[in-house]
């Protein structure tokens, strides 16, 4: 994730509000089984952090430092849009963060901390979040999407492969959590 870059971005002119350039269909989407994908409200950030912790710690290990980062949603929202999927009770059950275009460096877009909590599993919500993140990238004018994932997130890797991502071992230079090397994946639309 790029948190501090102020590089010019592609697709949306610097004088234009990037969110206004997104089609209405990306701002809110009704999904099957009574779920809705939309931007998180600031008063939901704690629930987003709880959902991401649930998603990342169920069947995987994460360090305390990483867990704290999953809850730093208010800080992350300064440079990223926080998208959530809520159930019919308006409970957050899944989330993904997409960078605001003014914080993207270069010609590759990304998305990160995609997670589906246990209350949202089995409804295709991970697919909905990946599809949404790719649509946001496309709407902002990006053809290539790059992401990083922990080696133990094998379900997520299968999901990314199903969307046409391929692994880039030559780009795997990010080390986190006391020595864990993140895997790199890219997808380019031609």
């Amino acid at each position: 994730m790029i948190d501090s870059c102020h590089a010019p971005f592609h697709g949306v002119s610097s004088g234009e509000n990037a969110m206004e350039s997104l089609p209405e269909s990306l701002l809110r989407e009704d999904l099957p089984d009574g779920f809705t994908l939309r931007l998180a409200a600031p008063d939901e950030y704690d629930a987003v952090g709880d959902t991401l912790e649930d998603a990342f710690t169920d069947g995987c290990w994460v360090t305390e430092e990483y867990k704290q980062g999953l809850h730093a949603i208010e800080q992350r929202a300064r440079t990223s849009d926080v998208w959530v999927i809520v159930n019919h009770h308006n409970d957050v059950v899944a989330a993904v963060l997409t960078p605001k275009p003014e914080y993207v460096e270069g010609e590759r877009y990304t998305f990160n901390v995609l997670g589906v909590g246990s209350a949202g599993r089995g409804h295709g919500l991970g697919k909905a979040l990946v599809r949404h993140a790719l649509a946001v990238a496309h709407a902002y004018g990006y053809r290539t999407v790059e992401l990083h994932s922990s080696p133990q997130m094998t379900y997520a890797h299968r999901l990314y492969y199903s969307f046409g991502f391929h692994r880039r071992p030559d780009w795997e230079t990010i080390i986190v959590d006391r020595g864990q090397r993140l895997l790199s994946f890219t997808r380019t639309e031609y």
Side-chain angles (χ1 to χ4, degrees):
M1 181 171 87
I2 301 169
D3 284 335
S4 60
C5 296
H6 298 282
F9 53 93
H10 306 275
V12 179
S13 69
S14 60
E16 184 179 351
N17 179 334
M19 193 59 65
E20 290 176 4
S21 71
L22 291 178
E24 274 300 312
S25 61
L26 288 181
L27 298 178
R28 179 185 172 89
E29 181 182 355
D30 292 326
L31 302 171
D33 301 328
F35 294 100
T36 302
L37 191 154
R38 60 170 172 75
L39 282 169
D43 65 352
E44 294 176 307
Y45 290 168
D46 287 342
V48 172
D50 292 343
T51 298
L52 291 173
E53 180 180 342
D54 177 37
F56 279 73
T57 59
D58 184 15
C60 294
W61 62 268
V62 297
T63 64
E64 283 303 312
E65 179 181 62
Y66 191 82
K67 205 181 295 185
Q68 289 172 6
L70 293 173
H71 286 274
I73 303 304
E74 183 175 355
Q75 177 185 356
R76 290 175 182 259
R78 295 178 195 141
T79 58
S80 296
D81 289 316
V82 182
W83 299 96
V84 294
I85 296 178
V86 296
N87 63 17
H88 63 283
H89 296 295
N90 220 28
D91 300 320
V92 175
V93 297
V96 66
L97 280 67
T98 60
K100 296 175 182 178
E102 60 267 30
Y103 294 98
V104 177
E105 183 179 312
E107 296 185 8
R108 293 190 300 257
Y109 197 72
T110 190
F111 60 89
N112 50 61
V113 289
L114 183 152
V116 178
S118 55
R121 295 207 179 120
H123 298 278
L125 302 184
K127 288 179 184 177
L129 290 172
V130 172
R131 189 170 36 256
H132 182 76
L134 292 172
V136 168
H138 180 77
Y140 286 146
Y142 291 91
R143 290 183 44 239
T144 301
V145 176
E146 173 186 5
L147 58 94
H148 304 281
S149 182
S150 299
Q152 72 268 19
M153 303 284 194
T154 56
Y155 178 79
H157 304 161
R158 286 192 303 272
L159 178 62
Y160 303 146
Y161 287 132
S162 76
F163 276 91
F165 282 88
H166 62 275
R167 195 156 155 225
R168 294 295 305 258
D170 52 319
W171 292 1
E172 294 175 358
T173 59
I174 298 174
I175 308 293
V176 297
D177 287 342
R178 300 181 191 120
Q180 180 176 235
R181 183 179 301 272
L182 295 182
L183 305 183
S184 292
F185 297 86
T186 61
R187 177 183 187 269
T188 300
E189 292 182 17
Y190 295 101

